[in-house]
Amino acid sequence: MEVILADKAGFCFGVQRAINTAFKAAGEGNVYCYGPLIHNPQEVERLRQAGIDTVADFTQLKQGSSLIIRSHGVPPAVLEKARAQGLNIIDLTCPFVAKAQQHADTLNREGYQVILVGEKQHPEVQSILGYAGQSAIVVELPGDLDGLSLSGKIGVVAQTTQSYGNFSEIVLRLLRLSKELKVFNTICSSTKERQDAARVLASRVDVMIVVGGRNSANTSRLVSLCREAGKPTYHIEVVDEIRPEWLEGATRVGVTAGASTPGWIIEAVVKWLHAGGKKPVT
Ligand code: SF4
């Protein structure tokens, strides 16, 4: 059985930067992360073992503690509150997310009603929304625009992990619904590269294995893309979840992974597949 790893898979620039900085900061003590640093439970556990606890609420932390802001960023009000509490902020907001926040802020200041294309509950979307003003609306799918009463002056930004197809369809519909439309394409190239590589690979193999956290939006999107390419696709977090019957009759298996999937997890999957489903000797 041939095993092919997608050309682009695993940690993106923003996640790699966040992980490296967090592990470095771990040694300093009293370091907390506001929400899981990345959407990968296994890597979050490694961080916990290194001394970084994840907190959902920072108001109980002692003054002088360090608080990591993950790559998704936070709304400005959250940053102000943490600073006012005397916390030392380690801001690991990905520069591409920070750019989307800036664009949302500029559009709002220029009087545009901001349409943010993304998943309503996603922390990155919530962080960008904090800059987008009171009239901002989150739109997930083109159909969400039905029946909305919009201002004539619309500004658009995207969650960085959006698919181009969905984003452009929404922009096209907005073109018909607005008098003035200003669009910032804030989709991150890492996302597109991973999506393109997954699509190409899915067309060449019999089965796709997509590795990544079940809570990872970009991993789930890779799963959807591979399925749309018509290939049986399985989403796993760790190697032990692979079921041998998935691979029956397959001569080529493709592997890809979301931007928040660490290399050591991908490597274990590839080794397991190369070994024909046996635990590799390490
Ligand atoms: S996917 Fe892009 S925007 Fe998101 S963390 Fe990675 S590099 Fe940054």
Side-chain angles (χ1 to χ4, degrees):
M1 186 172 66
E2 195 182 350
V3 182
I4 310 173
L5 180 62
D7 282 347
K8 296 278 180 189
F11 278 0
C12 59
F13 151 78
V15 168
Q16 187 69 67
R17 167 180 172 268
I19 288 285
N20 292 350
T21 314
F23 274 112
K24 259 189 220 148
E28 292 160 19
N30 270 340
V31 184
Y32 300 87
C33 187
Y34 185 42
L37 183 67
I38 60 173
H39 284 156
N40 186 277
Q42 293 73 28
E43 192 70 355
V44 170
E45 174 56 21
R46 264 188 6 115
L47 283 161
R48 193 192 63 75
Q49 286 170 11
I52 298 182
D53 278 328
T54 300
V55 292
D57 172 10
F58 56 78
T59 54
Q60 303 304 318
L61 299 182
K62 284 197 203 112
Q63 193 174 1
S65 302
S66 295
L67 185 70
I68 292 175
I69 301 300
R70 54 195 175 164
S71 55
H72 304 311
V74 290
V78 173
L79 263 188
E80 280 158 28
K81 192 172 167 190
R83 286 202 177 107
Q85 200 182 312
L87 301 177
N88 164 39
I89 305 295
I90 304 174
D91 189 355
L92 300 182
T93 305
C94 176
F96 299 123
V97 175
K99 197 84 197 154
Q101 293 172 338
Q102 272 171 27
H103 286 317
D105 187 44
T106 308
L107 287 168
N108 178 41
R109 284 172 200 278
E110 290 176 353
Y112 291 89
Q113 180 181 19
V114 177
I115 300 286
L116 172 51
V117 180
E119 292 146 68
K120 288 189 175 78
Q121 301 310 323
H122 195 280
E124 181 195 312
V125 170
Q126 292 301 317
S127 91
I128 300 170
L129 205 52
Y131 290 82
Q134 293 297 320
S135 61
I137 298 175
V138 180
V139 169
E140 216 162 312
L141 297 166
D144 294 347
L145 292 170
D146 295 345
L148 280 186
S149 116
L150 300 170
S151 103
K153 202 175 161 184
I154 301 285
V156 191
V157 290
Q159 180 182 358
T160 54
T161 49
Q162 272 296 296
S163 78
Y164 273 85
N166 191 51
F167 184 59
S168 45
E169 215 177 302
I170 289 172
V171 169
L172 271 178
R173 280 207 188 194
L174 284 169
L175 200 54
R176 279 183 237 123
L177 296 172
S178 57
K179 288 204 165 51
E180 186 181 336
L181 186 65
K182 191 165 182 177
V183 180
F184 286 105
N185 178 0
T186 50
I187 297 176
C188 160
S189 60
S190 301
T191 305
K192 187 173 183 315
E193 285 165 5
R194 275 155 190 72
Q195 290 174 355
D196 289 348
R199 218 180 273 115
V200 168
L201 183 55
S203 69
R204 295 176 52 207
V205 297
D206 304 304
V207 176
M208 282 296 294
I209 305 282
V210 182
V211 194
R214 291 203 171 73
N215 54 350
S216 157
N218 72 85
T219 304
S220 302
R221 195 149 298 116
L222 292 177
V223 173
S224 310
L225 287 173
C226 295
R227 287 190 180 141
E228 281 161 22
K231 289 299 151 73
T233 302
Y234 301 97
H235 182 176
I236 58 165
E237 280 192 354
V238 288
V239 64
D240 295 347
E241 293 171 32
I242 303 178
R243 300 231 294 271
E245 59 266 31
W246 296 346
L247 310 171
E248 266 168 24
T251 53
R252 278 178 160 185
V253 178
V255 179
T256 189
S260 50
T261 311
W264 59 272
I265 293 183
I266 304 170
E267 210 175 298
V269 170
V270 171
K271 274 191 183 165
W272 187 94
L273 290 167
H274 272 309
K278 295 185 190 76
K279 255 204 158 66
V281 182
T282 47

